[in-house]
Structure formats: structure tokens, C-alpha cells
Amino acid sequence: MTKRPIIIDCDPGQDDAICLLLAMSSPDELDILGVTTVAGNVPLALTERNARQVRDIAGRRDVPVYAGCSKPMVRDLVTAEHVHGKTGIDGIDIVEPKQPLEKQHAVDFIVDTLNAADKDSITLVPMGPLTNIGQAFTKDPSILRNVEQIILMGGAMREGGNISPSAEFNILVDPHAADIVFRCGRPITVLGLDVTHQVLATPERRDRIRAIDNDAARATVGMLDFYNRHDSVKYGVRGAPLHDPCTVAWLLKPELFEGKLCNVSVETESELTMGNTAVDFWHVTDRPKNATWIHTADADGFYELLVERLSRFSDVR
Ligand code: BDR
Ligand code: CA
């Protein structure tokens, strides 16, 4: 099987952390060239640290972690400790990561890696504010030709916003970067709240993960139990939506999802609707179809995949 070369850009965050575990448990399909981190759910110093702790839990010393932008391109940083806790990955014991951060800035890593790659060869998987990706595309637009596709978590249409009435968190934090990404001309697949709100970590699903006897599964359950406290009350459901892992699940098993190619544009001017993803789902404009908007997920199939992949880990001491 040919492995797909990917760069994961994230702001862990419990759901980012679980997505990293899903990706790191799938070495036959995914060649993780690097994990780049950005300010989002918590400040950058925590997101990069959290990514390194997750790498330790996964036993993937081979995956380099880079720190990127500490603030959005134009707006002030907004964080989400009310959802993710003070550390971003509350629910597990925080221990000092075993390996240091790479010295290179994440934006330079993205630019250099894409510059050295073949045409249409690299998949970008952003699951936080799009600052690092927007900065990389701005710094060297020629790298775009080597991007095969972008699979991102962000945006909302039918579900409405989760951080403002009309915006999803990742897009609202850096709408200007999101605008650059949605206009970049490369194939984009969007896993927004319309689909992530179908993938709920119900007590039964958490119990299946709890039954797995390894550190990665224990960390996953710890994080889910914490994260669930806020979201199940907010949405009145039996489990928190597992947003970010939808990206990697789509890469591993696209048949679990259904989507439609349409135009997605980002609001960058109105304070009222800042960060809104205007999805032309019914093709009522002639704007170019720039993104596949995923609207449906097979939630049971998604959790089957997650349980199977988490079961692959052995404890790293
Ligand atoms: C997104 O925002 C963050 O809170 C999560 O990590 C996810 O990427 C959901 O809106
Ligand atoms: Ca995230």
C-alpha cells in the first residue's frame, strides 16, 4: 500500500489529541511528515507541548513536532479553555514530554517540505485555526502546486456556530487565514460542525474505548470524559462531538462520509457574522466550487475505526 504523505496542523485540544492518536496508529496508510502546532484552543506554548505529550503516548518518536504562529493573522487570539480546560488536554495527567520541539518554525517547515515535494503530492490536514497554513501560502504561493489536497475541520452551515451564532471556532479565530485557504485553488474537503455533531462520544462508545487495555486508550477516555462535561450540557446530547478525528477518519475510510462539491466562502468583514462559512450548498450562485462540504457521517463506523486503531497501541514505558 502506498502511504499518503501528510502534514497535520493542530491546536491540541482533546479532540486534536485523539486525532493525532488515530493518525499515529495508522502507519500503513499515513506517512506523517510533521505535526505543526498553532495557537487556538489554548496558547501556542501549550498546544506544542500537548502535541509532544501525545507523541509520547503513541510511541511515535519518529514524528517531528513544530511550533508555528502564536496569534492569528489579523485578529486577537481567542482561546477555548472553557471547553478544553486550562491545559487544553485536561482529563489526563500532564507530564513533561520526552522529546524536544524542532527548532524550525512550523510555517518554514510547511514551506520547505512542500517546496521539496513532487507536484500534487502532499495532503495538509488542518484541525485548528488556519494561521500556519495561511501564512505558508502567503509566504510562498508556489508551494500550492505541490499540495494534493486539504482535509480540514472547520466551519458550519446547518448547525450554526459554536463560538458565535454564525461561526465555528477554528474559522472565527482566524477568518483571514481561512479566507486565504478557501481561495487557494487546491482541492479542499471540509468536515464542519454539520458532520462532527453526528459523531458523538456516547457513554456506550466511551465504554468500548475504556475496555481497551493500553495507555493511548486510557488517555482517550480520560480526555473524552473531561470534554464531555461541557459539550453534553451545551448541546443537550449524550456525548461530545469528536470534531477533529473526522479529518483522519475521512482519509482512512472516506466511505464513512458523504459530501457535496460547492462554494464555501468565509466572512471577514461583518463583526456580526465574522468567520461564517457561507456554503452555497444548492448552487444558487456562480461562485467556483472550491470545496467538498461533508454533511453526513456513519457514526457507528467512525467509532468502529477509532476502537480498532486505538487497540493497536502497546504501552510505551
Ligand atoms: C474545533 O474547535 C476546537 O475547539 C476543536 O479542537 C475543533 O478543532 C471545533 O469547533
Ligand atoms: Ca482543534
Side-chain angles (χ1 to χ4, degrees):
M1 186 185 292
T2 22
K3 294 185 193 190
R4 189 188 291 276
I6 67 170
I7 296 173
I8 300 178
D9 188 67
C10 59
D11 63 333
Q14 289 91 352
D15 59 328
D16 303 74
I18 294 166
C19 189
L20 287 173
L21 291 173
L22 183 60
M24 289 179 179
S25 65
S26 306
D28 292 343
E29 294 100 333
L30 303 177
D31 178 12
I32 309 172
L33 304 177
V35 171
T36 55
T37 55
V38 67
N41 287 321
V42 285
L44 182 68
L46 291 175
T47 60
E48 65 86 355
R49 200 217 66 83
N50 294 346
R52 289 186 294 129
Q53 183 171 347
V54 174
R55 169 176 64 183
D56 288 348
I57 294 167
R60 290 294 305 270
R61 298 178 68 102
D62 57 304
V63 178
V65 174
Y66 300 83
C69 299
S70 59
K71 58 182 173 49
M73 292 181 81
V74 177
R75 289 165 61 87
D76 291 338
L77 177 65
V78 174
T79 54
E81 285 86 354
H82 61 293
V83 181
H84 300 276
K86 268 202 187 92
T87 67
I89 52 171
D90 279 25
I92 61 172
D93 292 337
I94 301 298
V95 297
E96 191 50 32
K98 291 183 186 144
Q99 274 175 266
L101 191 62
E102 299 300 316
K103 290 200 169 60
Q104 193 178 25
H105 192 282
V107 172
D108 295 329
F109 166 74
I110 294 167
V111 169
D112 288 357
T113 305
L114 280 163
N115 261 325
D118 292 336
K119 192 170 179 313
D120 295 343
S121 63
I122 308 276
T123 294
L124 301 178
V125 190
M127 55 191 79
L130 287 153
T131 319
N132 288 338
I133 311 294
Q135 292 284 17
F137 289 174
T138 304
K139 187 167 184 190
D140 186 353
S142 74
I143 62 178
L144 280 166
R145 64 172 180 268
N146 299 340
V147 174
E148 183 193 4
Q149 57 178 342
I150 301 167
I151 314 300
L152 70 87
M153 191 281 135
M157 179 184 64
R158 294 183 176 137
E159 284 293 298
N162 62 355
I163 187 78
S164 80
S166 40
E168 180 279 329
F169 179 80
N170 290 339
I171 307 295
L172 181 67
V173 173
D174 199 337
H176 301 90
D179 183 46
I180 291 169
V181 171
F182 277 99
R183 288 174 190 273
C184 79
R186 302 307 301 153
I188 301 175
T189 299
V190 190
L191 295 120
L193 301 183
D194 293 1
V195 68
T196 68
H197 281 189
Q198 296 169 31
V199 179
L200 302 178
T202 59
E204 296 77 19
R205 290 169 176 157
R206 293 203 300 276
D207 283 346
R208 286 193 63 195
I209 300 171
R210 214 181 301 277
I212 305 169
D213 183 23
N214 66 38
D215 286 344
R218 280 186 281 274
T220 300
V221 162
M223 290 190 286
L224 280 176
D225 284 348
F226 177 86
Y227 177 64
N228 187 54
R229 284 178 220 167
H230 176 271
D231 274 12
S232 57
V233 173
K234 174 176 177 181
Y235 298 113
V237 290
R238 296 180 65 245
L242 208 34
H243 307 285
D244 293 338
C246 286
T247 56
V248 168
W250 186 92
L251 279 170
L252 297 173
K253 281 200 156 198
E255 63 273 21
L256 295 176
F257 300 91
E258 286 172 52
K260 185 172 175 181
L261 184 63
C262 46
N263 178 269
V264 180
S265 300
V266 178
E267 175 60 58
T268 57
E269 283 171 19
S270 156
E271 262 313 311
L272 183 63
T273 58
M274 181 68 73
N276 176 252
T277 39
V279 181
D280 188 4
F281 196 76
W282 302 117
H283 304 155
V284 294
T285 73
D286 56 6
R287 292 183 204 133
K289 294 176 183 169
N290 59 344
T292 300
W293 185 259
I294 305 294
H295 52 75
T296 305
D298 169 356
D300 287 335
F302 170 92
Y303 281 94
E304 277 303 321
L305 175 68
L306 183 62
V307 166
E308 186 264 310
R309 297 295 157 123
L310 288 174
S311 307
R312 293 177 173 192
F313 285 109
S314 33
D315 292 348
V316 182
R317 303 285 173 203

